[in-house]
Amino acid sequence: MFTSKSSVYKDGDAVIGGFFPLHTFITDSDINKPTETIYTQLKTKNYQYVLALVFAIEEINRNPYLLPNMSLGFDLYNVPYTQWMTLKSSLIWLTGLNKYVPNYTCRRQSKSVAALTGTSWATCAQIATLLGLYKFPQLTFGPFDPILSDNSQSLSLYQMAPKDTSLALGMISLILHFSWTWVGLVISDDHDGIQFLSDVTEAMERNRVCVAFLEMVPVTTVSYFTKAWSYHRQIRQSSADVVIIYGDADFLLGFTISIDQDSIIWKVWITTSQWVINTEKNNFLLDTFHGTLIFSHHHEEISGFKNFIETATPSKYPEDFYLAELWNSSFNCSISESHYETLETCPLNASLAWLPRNIMDMSMTDGSYNVYNAVYAVAQTLHEMMLQQVEMQPMWNVQGLTFAPWQLHPFLKNIQFNNPAGDQVNMDQKRKLDAEYDILNFWNFPEGLGYKVKVGHFSPYLPKDCQLSLTKDMIEWATGITQIPHSVCSESCNPGFRKSPQEGKASCCFDCTPCPENEISNDTADLDQCMKCADHQYANVERNQCLQKAVTFLGYEDPLGKSLACTALGFSVLTVLALGIFVKHRDTPIVKANNRVLSYVLLISLTFCFLCSLLFIGRPNTATCILQQTTFGMVFTVAVSTVLAKTITVVLAFKITAPGRRIRHLLVSGAPNAVIPICSLIQLTLCGIWLGTSPPFIDTDVHAEYAHIIIVCNKGSATAFYCVLGYLGSLALGSFTVAFLARNLPDTFNEAKFLTFSMVVFCSVWVTFLPVYHSTKGKVMVAVEVFSILASSAGLLGCIFAPKCYVILLRPDRNSLHGFRDKVHPGSNKPS
């Protein structure tokens, strides 16, 4: 119907050709029947391109300041789906004949100056192949395609649309705004789709958004509908509630039709302004695509365009058979038998404004806005050329214009102007700016009436935190969804947990694992690693907060410290009592026989050994830190060296009996007692070196106890500490060796055996001390050292002096010369 003419033509001094996809072929493959073309259908929404062209030309022709004394006309052609029909339209436009004779025109003088093409890359590239041979300027109104600009064969081609390099970033910003991390991708399998896939996946990886599924869909209609069920099954089965759809207008239309025919799939669809709904679908109240979010190029509203659409009628533009066809299909007009394209019985005052928005949008679409700017770009170019020719030579003659279309290129490629809406138009393809986007929300109403509502804006030129602005309260979601959809592979981990990746799955799929000891994860969800608390803090039970550690030490208030202090004082009192007993009974045989002086020295040193343990209890300070180890080392050295002196005395007393020998003289003169000052002097030297090089100091232990900072005394030089301890151990080992060798001597009151046993206890305590000391921390470490001091001191006190005090206090009969003789030689009245 209405196909007797090849084009819609309106004359002018300069004519702009327009190649618009106004008809589509409906084939059997589209409705699952035998393959052949059935009929053609007018793409109602695409007719707005024609309206935008006519509106711009009329606006320019009325403008006395732009192209004065010169009018613009147009020559409109339909661009069908097939490649051959596309070339056919362009050949007709070039030759003026329905017969295709290359390099020939029946027109006496062609007024054509430029061509507008779109919307797909394939259409533009095919027409550019032909028009490029004749250097005709070709202005495309479809989405910006980098290949069209980079192709050296498209030097005569100009793209009106801004660049879409920030489209992927805008979509991901929207996704992040709603905390969606599990998103599906349905993308056309062509070069434009592959470029978008690269951009969007890079943005997703950078922002930790995962691809739930990826479907690269063929752009050919037959291939798509043949495999549509497999693509839709993937979409239905995926747990992702958000799907990004990208492709040209034909691809997106095919996708929407196949989805509607297949089943209802409730998802949040994110797409571009190329998306259109299927106007032939059933009249669902709320369909599959209700709530779709659409990224559309931002532009100011063109004043007067809405009124122009409302007043456009077939009677106003009788040459436009496309408008007549639209009128016939929309208002059920009848056709005059005498005039095939004359409409009758149409409703009075019928207007395109009566049509639903999904059929005829009253606001200017992205493609129509590009058409509008393209017409003004041609007009501005002609205006510049006209001014230049006025300066050089008269411009008009009887033949009309004196320039050819190829002469427009030097002016057209550098033209830059502001359109009537105030938006800047830049024809330099290399300096084109990225687009800003309006975010539209598609609402579906009864009878399939669709409406797009602006709910947000995205601008790549603003600071990152301000690029996206959104009015969430205005957004309508898919049917049955009353709250913001939740599209994640795994639910966010609660505070106190961290993400643990699931093997073989995307990073957005994870398990939640409790944080390790002393690590937390706070209100920030989905952390890969928990944060370790500072040294002065510890994690609470929930592992979501670091608390301040309490300062502690082995104090007298502590039960352990109190017990050790009482034990030290108790043993100190016992030692003083033993000393008192020995002093009181100093003239008895048992005290005399055990070297009274050495016994006094040993008891006094043991008293200080018990008391020095108190230096380890209480809040450490500089003085106590220095005195702890040095006092311990010195008093124990005196005690052990005294035991060594006593042992040497016993050995000399029973091994050297010959009168007059020099060694006997040494024994009588008390020379063994010199061992004490000599050994103590060596230990004093070691302690002096220790204090002079790296003395002990106050330190804190933040790791020993979970919720406490323990104040301890750092030994400064560990080497010096172990030298002091090692020297003390050497003395103890020497004393044990000598005592062991003298254990069977007939010592008075078994002194040699008591010394041996005491050194066994002493060495056992300190040999056990080393591994236990190194396996403990904090207060326990200090307690272990205090316990070792008390245990070893108590061993000396108990093994050496307890038997003697027992004899003195409870067996006085044995503490006499007669008892001594009976003990040495039972039944004899004379000592041996």
Side-chain angles (χ1 to χ4, degrees), residues 100-374:
Y100 323 122
V101 183
N103 297 323
Y104 175 80
T105 177
C106 68
R107 295 168 179 164
R108 186 172 58 176
Q109 181 177 358
S110 177
K111 298 179 181 180
S112 300
V113 293
L116 308 185
T117 63
T119 58
S120 68
W121 169 84
T123 300
C124 298
Q126 288 198 21
I127 297 178
T129 303
L130 180 61
L131 298 186
L133 298 174
Y134 301 96
K135 307 300 182 185
F136 262 97
Q138 178 184 352
L139 290 79
T140 69
F141 53 88
F144 188 90
D145 194 321
I147 291 184
L148 293 178
S149 293
D150 295 339
N151 193 342
S152 59
Q153 295 180 355
S154 302
L155 298 178
S156 300
L157 187 145
Y158 304 88
Q159 300 191 72
M160 300 306 302
K163 292 181 178 179
D164 276 324
T165 51
S166 59
L167 175 61
L169 178 61
M171 290 183 171
I172 299 305
S173 297
L174 176 67
I175 287 170
L176 293 174
H177 182 82
F178 291 109
S179 300
W180 296 327
T181 59
W182 193 234
V183 179
L185 300 178
V186 178
I187 298 175
S188 59
D189 192 4
D190 55 12
H191 75 275
D192 199 25
I194 293 173
Q195 179 60 51
F196 175 77
L197 175 64
S198 175
D199 295 339
V200 76
T201 51
E202 180 183 354
M204 292 173 73
E205 290 175 2
R206 190 167 58 248
N207 293 281
R208 306 178 75 174
V209 178
C210 298
V211 178
F213 62 88
L214 170 62
E215 292 296 343
M216 299 298 294
V217 183
V219 294
T220 58
T221 305
V222 174
S223 298
Y224 181 83
F225 279 96
T226 302
K227 300 181 179 180
W229 64 271
S230 62
Y231 304 133
H232 301 163
R233 183 180 62 180
Q234 177 72 5
I235 297 173
R236 284 196 307 270
Q237 293 178 351
S238 175
S239 59
D241 291 331
V242 178
V243 181
I244 294 177
I245 313 174
Y246 183 84
D248 60 19
D250 292 331
F251 164 78
L252 292 174
L253 178 60
F255 178 81
T256 57
I257 293 174
S258 62
I259 284 285
D260 280 337
Q261 291 178 347
D262 182 61
S263 62
I264 299 298
I265 303 176
W266 306 119
K267 300 286 184 181
V268 177
W269 311 97
I270 302 176
T271 185
T272 67
S273 59
Q274 298 297 306
W275 177 82
V276 292
I277 62 172
N278 176 24
T279 57
E280 299 299 321
K281 64 184 178 179
N282 294 328
N283 296 327
F284 292 111
L285 174 61
L286 296 174
D287 71 344
T288 298
F289 295 97
H290 178 76
T292 299
L293 295 170
I294 305 167
F295 277 73
S296 175
H297 291 165
H298 172 75
H299 55 78
E300 298 298 329
E301 201 65 38
I302 302 298
S303 176
F305 183 67
K306 181 178 180 181
N307 182 69
F308 174 79
I309 295 179
E310 294 174 346
T311 57
T313 62
S315 59
K316 184 177 179 181
Y317 300 101
E319 73 280 359
D320 189 351
F321 56 86
Y322 293 113
L323 182 57
E325 181 179 355
L326 175 60
W327 221 261
N328 177 65
S329 61
S330 300
F331 303 114
N332 295 321
C333 303
S334 61
I335 306 171
S336 172
E337 296 182 358
S338 57
H339 297 86
Y340 182 71
E341 294 173 3
T342 300
L343 300 176
E344 296 178 349
T345 66
C346 294
L348 295 176
N349 302 323
S351 169
L352 294 178
W354 293 9
L355 301 180
R357 289 292 183 93
N358 60 310
I359 296 178
M360 176 57 65
D361 200 339
M362 302 303 291
S363 60
M364 188 172 281
T365 64
D366 287 353
S368 298
Y369 185 74
N370 294 333
V371 170
Y372 180 81
N373 286 335

Side-chain angles (χ1 to χ4, degrees), residues 4 193 223 347 399 679 695 718 806:
S4 59
S223 298
Q399 301 297 328
C679 293
Y806 170 77

Side-chain angles (χ1 to χ4, degrees), residues 537-600:
Q537 296 177 326
Y538 70 99
N540 60 355
V541 177
E542 293 79 13
R543 307 286 173 87
N544 61 3
Q545 186 178 4
C546 288
L547 304 177
Q548 194 72 24
K549 288 184 176 180
V551 176
T552 186
F553 48 86
L554 184 62
Y556 292 103
E557 300 82 9
D558 190 285
L560 181 59
K562 185 181 294 185
S563 301
L564 293 175
C566 292
T567 303
L569 292 175
F571 278 118
S572 300
V573 172
L574 289 176
T575 307
V576 172
L577 289 176
L579 178 60
I581 292 171
F582 265 63
V583 171
K584 182 178 180 180
H585 300 86
R586 60 185 178 276
D587 294 328
T588 59
I590 195 170
V591 176
K592 290 181 178 180
N594 287 281
N595 198 323
R596 191 165 49 185
V597 175
L598 291 179
S599 296
Y600 294 161

Side-chain angles (χ1 to χ4, degrees), residues 48 80 118 165 203 258 272 316 341 371 386 477 587 608 619 664 737 742 777-778:
Q48 195 188 88
T165 51
S258 62
T272 67
K316 184 177 179 181
E341 294 173 3
V371 170
M386 184 181 69
W477 302 108
D587 294 328
F608 282 106
R619 188 183 183 95
R664 183 181 179 85
T737 303
K777 294 179 180 180

Side-chain angles (χ1 to χ4, degrees), residues 283 721 817:
N283 296 327
F721 170 71
L817 185 59

